[in-house]
Amino acid sequence: MDQLLIRGGRALHGEVAIAGAKNAALPELCAALLSAEPLTLANVPRLQDVATMRKLLAHMGVQAERLDDDRCPAGECWRLDAAELPRPEAPYELVKTMRAAILALGPLLARCGRARVSLPGGCAIGSRPVDQHIKGLQAMGATIRVEHGYIEAEAPAGGRLKGARITTDMVTVTGTENLMMAATLAEGTTVLENAALEPEVTDLAELLIAMGARITGHGTHRITIEGVAALHAPAQPHRIIPDRIEAGTFLCAVAATGGEVRLRGARAGHLEAVIEKLAEAGVAVEALGTPGTPDEALQVRSPGAAGLKAVGFRTREYPAFPTDMQAQFMAMDCVAAGTAVITETIFENRYMHVNELLRLGAAIEIDGHTAVVRGGARLSGATVMATDLRASASLVIAGLVAEGTTRVDRIYHLDRGYDRMEAKLRALGADIERVKAGAATEDLA
C-alpha cells in the first residue's frame, strides 16, 4: 500500500494544470449508456474512480478506446461505444468502492428498459441516500424493488419511461443527474424541481444537448427535459470542465505554504465562494484569460501562515461554500492567526480528519456540526491516516507546512479524486514523494 512522505516548510511556486472534473467525468461516462452511437470525451482525468467507472461500463458491454491522436483536442481522451449492452447491471464487486456507480441506474433503465444496480459504497463521510433517485424514477413509471442489496428496476409496459414533474425532498447532485439522463429518452416532458445548480450538472446537460437531448433550465432549480426517441454521437468530442475542487485544493495549499502559483484551466466563476473566503484570509487570487475557454487560469499569491487570518464558513449547496472544500480550508485555518468557526451542513461525518490534524498539533474542538479552529498552531510532522478523499487533501496541506516529516497513510482515497497530486506539488517545489508502506525513512518528528 502506498503512502505519501512530506517534508514540510517549502513555499510553492510555478504553474500547474488543473485536470478535468471527477464529478463531471463520472456522470458523463454513464451518459454513453444512453446512445448506440459512440461518445468521445476529452480532458478525462486519470483517477481511480474514473478507471473503476470504465471497468463497470465494460462489464455492461461498453467498448472503451483511449485516443492519442488528432481526434482528441486536448487532455486524455476516451471513445466509448455502447452499441450493445448485454448486461444492464452494476454488480457489488465493482460498486463497493464508488458511490457514483448509482449514476448508471437512470441511463440503463431509459435505454434498456431494465437495470440491476448494487446499492453504492464509497467514502464513509455520511448518509447519501438514493431514495430520491428511486422516488423520481417511480414517478416516471418505473417499477423498483430493493432486494438483497440491489436496486432492481423495470420501465413501464412498452419499455419506455414517462415524463413527470418531480420535486426532490432535498437538493441532490447525483439525483438531478440520474433523473435528467433518464428523462432524455422518456416519453413526454419531465420537469425537475429543486434541481442542483453545480457546474458539473450544467456540463452534463450541455453534453446531452450535444447528443440531441432537449433540455432547458440547467443551472437553475427547475430543469425541463423533453424526451426524444434516441440520442446520437456529438459532432465534436465533449471537453470535460476543469475540476473546481482540485483547483480549490491547490489554492489552499499555496495559501498555507506561501508562494505564487498559476492554476492553468481553473475557472474563477466556479469558485466564487472559495475565492471570497481566501480574500478574507489575506490571499490574493486573480482571474486570467477568457472565461469558459481553455486559456482561463487563476493566479494565487500568499504570504504564508505568518500573514494569514483564520476564516470561518458554513458549507451549503452550490453556489455557496462547498462541503468538498471544508477539510482543506480547515487545514489552512490551523496555521492562520485567530479563530475560525466552521459549520458543516451537508454530511454528518465529515470531521473525521480532525483527529488526524490534532496528531500534527492542530487546536480544534468539535461540537456537533460545528468545529472551532484556534489558529496559529505550530504543526509538527507525524504519521496520519486518510479517512476519505477530501480528508486526504487536508492532511497533505497540513504536511506541507508542518515542521519535519509527515507520512500520510491510506492514500488510495486521494487517488480516487486527484490526478497525480504528489507529482504536481513536487513540480511546484514541495518535498513530497510516494513510497511503499514500511519503506525505511528518517525518523518522524
Side-chain angles (χ1 to χ4, degrees):
M1 186 179 295
D2 289 352
Q3 300 174 326
L4 287 182
L5 202 64
I6 308 168
R7 302 167 188 88
R10 293 191 178 188
L12 301 179
H13 294 275
E15 182 174 290
V16 64
I18 299 303
K22 174 180 87 81
N23 290 335
L26 296 177
E28 289 171 14
L29 286 165
C30 288
L33 297 169
L34 290 165
S35 177
E37 298 181 20
L39 169 65
T40 301
L41 297 175
N43 202 31
V44 180
R46 285 173 280 190
L47 307 173
Q48 188 58 48
D49 272 9
V50 170
T52 300
M53 184 64 82
R54 285 201 304 267
K55 187 181 297 184
L56 176 62
L57 295 176
H59 170 83
M60 299 173 189
V62 178
Q63 303 294 315
E65 175 192 8
R66 181 177 172 179
L67 305 181
D68 295 313
D69 55 28
D70 57 6
R71 289 176 290 176
C72 187
E76 189 161 293
C77 195
W78 286 86
R79 181 179 182 271
L80 304 153
D81 189 342
E84 302 291 338
L85 294 174
R87 291 177 299 276
E89 63 176 14
Y92 173 74
E93 291 73 21
L94 293 173
V95 170
K96 62 184 178 182
T97 62
M98 184 183 63
R99 303 188 71 94
I102 191 66
L103 288 163
L105 178 60
L108 285 176
L109 188 55
R111 168 97 181 277
C112 302
R114 61 188 177 91
R116 184 173 186 264
V117 177
S118 172
L119 290 170
C123 292
I125 61 171
S127 175
R128 293 193 269 189
V130 299
D131 60 319
Q132 300 304 303
H133 305 239
I134 293 173
K135 172 187 171 183
L137 292 171
Q138 287 175 328
M140 298 170 73
T143 300
I144 297 180
R145 302 185 306 278
V146 180
E147 296 179 344
H148 308 297
Y150 278 82
I151 301 170
E152 302 200 22
E154 292 185 5
R160 195 172 178 192
L161 296 171
K162 310 296 182 184
R165 181 175 293 273
I166 301 168
T167 303
T168 54
D169 297 335
M170 64 190 75
V171 176
T172 162
V173 175
T174 55
T176 299
E177 292 166 340
N178 224 346
L179 297 174
M180 182 168 63
M181 286 191 284
T184 60
L185 296 179
E187 183 180 346
T189 299
T190 299
V191 179
L192 303 180
E193 302 279 7
N194 204 25
L197 307 180
E198 273 72 1
E200 296 80 9
V201 174
T202 300
D203 197 49
L204 172 63
E206 293 295 336
L207 167 61
L208 296 171
I209 291 169
M211 296 171 69
R214 298 174 181 172
I215 302 174
T216 58
H218 44 296
T220 76
H221 283 303
R222 176 182 292 164
I223 301 176
T224 301
I225 309 103
E226 182 183 345
V228 297
L231 295 181
H232 309 284
Q236 299 293 330
H238 175 79
R239 182 175 175 82
I240 296 169
I241 58 172
D243 195 313
R244 60 193 171 97
I245 305 302
E246 184 190 32
T249 299
F250 276 96
L251 289 174
C252 285
V254 178
T257 64
E260 182 170 358
V261 171
R262 176 173 296 198
L263 308 181
R264 206 166 65 246
R267 295 187 179 182
H270 293 172
L271 287 162
E272 290 180 353
V274 171
I275 291 172
E276 286 177 8
K277 286 297 178 181
L278 285 169
E280 288 182 32
V283 179
V285 181
E286 180 185 1
L288 305 172
T290 305
T293 66
D295 71 340
E296 193 169 7
L298 291 174
Q299 189 86 6
V300 53
R301 295 181 297 277
S302 172
L308 286 182
K309 174 185 175 183
V311 292
F313 55 89
R314 175 184 292 266
T315 64
R316 290 285 189 189
E317 292 86 359
Y318 186 87
F321 195 94
T323 181
D324 278 355
M325 284 301 305
Q326 179 253 107
Q328 300 92 309
F329 244 81
M330 183 181 287
M332 185 193 77
D333 278 339
C334 287
V335 298
T339 298
V341 178
I342 297 171
T343 303
E344 173 61 54
T345 71
I346 307 297
F347 295 125
E348 67 271 22
N349 294 337
R350 206 154 203 179
Y351 285 140
M352 291 191 294
H353 51 281
V354 169
N355 285 337
E356 304 305 305
L357 290 173
L358 294 177
R359 285 180 50 77
L360 297 173
I364 307 169
E365 297 175 2
I366 301 295
D367 182 9
H369 295 290
T370 300
V372 178
V373 183
R374 305 193 187 283
R378 181 171 168 265
L379 302 184
S380 59
T383 298
V384 291
M385 181 179 68
T387 54
D388 62 67
L389 171 55
R390 306 308 173 185
S392 307
S394 76
L395 298 178
V396 170
I397 292 170
L400 291 173
V401 295
E403 296 178 5
T405 303
T406 297
R407 186 188 293 266
V408 183
D409 198 6
R410 294 176 63 180
I411 62 168
Y412 56 83
H413 287 297
L414 193 76
D415 293 338
R416 289 184 49 234
Y418 288 94
D419 186 348
R420 301 162 298 149
M421 177 182 254
E422 75 279 6
K424 292 182 177 182
L425 286 170
R426 193 162 51 245
L428 296 176
D431 190 343
I432 181 172
E433 61 179 319
R434 182 179 291 252
V435 299
K436 295 294 182 183
T441 59
E442 68 268 37
D443 292 337
L444 299 180

